[in-house]
Amino acid sequence: MRVLFTTWAWPSHLYALVPLAWAFRSAGHEVLVASQPELLEQTVGTGLPAASVGADVDAAGLVRGYVLPSVAGAPPGVGVAPGGGRGPRAMQMFLAHAESMTGGLVELAKDWRPDLVVFEPTALAGPIAAAAAGVPAVRLLYGTDLMLRARQVLPDALAPLAARFGVTGFDPYGAATVDPTPASLQVATDYQRIPLRYTAFNGPGPRPAPLPERGARPRVCVTWGHTMARLDPSLFLAGELARAVASTGAEVLLAVSASQRPLLGELPRTCGSPSTPRWTTCCPTATWWCRTAARARC
């Protein structure tokens, strides 16, 4: 069987697809991962076959447009669309990526002839390309199904784009949804849900240095992801949160990328009693670990 995976160019969305893609490949199936050119190098880094489709768009700018405050005078949740109109800003971003990718993805699907297309929930070119190629599409969630809120408007929003490729009456939510989230994070729905045990993938890298042995104090891991620092460094609050956690006397493991290290601000480094944490750091190739410990083992 041939399985075509697709996402737009955002690393965390790609990484959510990798474990299932590797599971298919390990079972003997052919796999191909398609995204915009910007993601090609990182896709190749996962060890999976990769293809570029469409053109790059300003993904960070589009994400910034709906994460950061609305433009002056706009109603909440509404911003200026790429074409100058107004509409829900997150939807404008998803449609911009679909416009960029659909033509190339349809061409790839018709040429490579997959048996199945697997798409992450915001890669809306996926179900259109699957319908154009006459094969089923399956969504793979990476968290709570927030796109379910758009179920009433998404078909109409995608209809003009789909019609360009002769596609009508398709379901942008696919024939089924693979859901790795625990029951407490799932939303009630009537679509076919396929449960999947969550498996993490975070890219290649050296094994981090071992942590100190656990003591009596609680240990808290603090991280802030990559999106907020990429959009606006002032919104990267990992250092502030870590200092607040450390003030309770807990041990703190602060996991950030090397490029985020300067955004943390000043971290305490003085020795003291268990209620006065000492911070130590390790720096593997791509990750900084800032943690409290009785002894440094870096």
Side-chain angles (χ1 to χ4, degrees):
M1 184 168 71
R2 285 184 167 182
V3 186
L4 177 61
F5 286 78
T6 190
T7 177
W8 51 275
W10 203 255
S12 57
H13 291 206
L14 165 67
Y15 289 174
L17 299 176
V18 171
L20 184 59
W22 264 110
F24 271 107
R25 196 174 189 195
S26 298
H29 303 293
E30 290 186 70
V31 168
L32 182 62
V33 181
S35 186
Q36 294 149 320
E38 182 181 347
L39 202 62
L40 180 63
E41 183 177 350
Q42 284 177 288
T43 304
V44 170
T46 69
L48 294 165
S52 291
V53 295
D56 290 325
V57 300
D58 181 11
L62 289 169
V63 175
R64 192 177 292 112
Y66 82 86
V67 171
L68 301 186
S70 302
V71 295
V78 174
V80 177
R86 292 183 181 275
R89 292 177 292 166
M91 185 63 70
Q92 292 295 330
M93 180 189 72
F94 302 147
L95 293 177
H97 286 294
E99 287 277 356
S100 161
M101 294 178 60
T102 299
L105 195 62
V106 167
E107 184 178 346
L108 176 64
K110 290 183 176 180
D111 178 62
W112 195 61
R113 299 175 63 187
D115 300 290
L116 175 69
V117 174
V118 178
F119 65 103
E120 53 91 356
T122 62
L124 302 176
I128 298 176
V135 299
V138 169
R139 286 195 312 158
L140 174 57
L141 300 184
Y142 47 74
T144 300
D145 190 0
L146 300 179
M147 290 295 288
L148 194 61
R149 299 174 60 187
R151 199 172 187 183
Q152 299 303 314
V153 300
L154 195 54
D156 289 341
L158 288 173
L161 175 60
R164 284 188 234 160
F165 303 95
V167 173
T168 58
F170 78 106
D171 188 347
Y173 290 81
T177 293
V178 178
D179 192 345
T181 61
S184 60
L185 294 177
Q186 295 174 0
V187 292
T189 183
D190 58 353
Y191 58 59
Q192 182 182 358
R193 191 195 307 268
I194 301 173
L196 178 72
R197 180 174 61 87
Y198 174 74
T199 302
F201 178 84
N202 294 300
R207 181 186 180 194
L211 294 175
E213 296 178 3
R214 286 292 301 266
R217 290 183 290 160
R219 176 173 287 175
V220 180
C221 178
V222 176
T223 186
W224 212 250
H226 288 271
T227 297
M228 301 315 294
R230 188 173 175 183
L231 302 183
D232 184 347
S234 69
L235 300 177
F236 188 74
L237 306 181
E240 183 176 339
L241 178 59
R243 284 186 289 272
V245 172
S247 69
T248 69
E251 291 188 337
V252 178
L253 168 64
L254 181 52
V256 300
S257 70
S259 64
Q260 293 170 348
R261 178 62 180 88
L263 304 179
L264 294 176
E266 189 66 28
L267 299 178
R269 295 176 179 273
T270 58
C271 299
S273 66
S275 61
T276 307
R278 181 179 70 179
W279 297 74
T280 62
T281 60
C282 289
C283 186
T285 302
T287 304
W288 277 80
W289 300 83
C290 304
R291 69 249 181 115
T292 64
R295 295 189 303 272
R297 295 188 178 184
C298 299

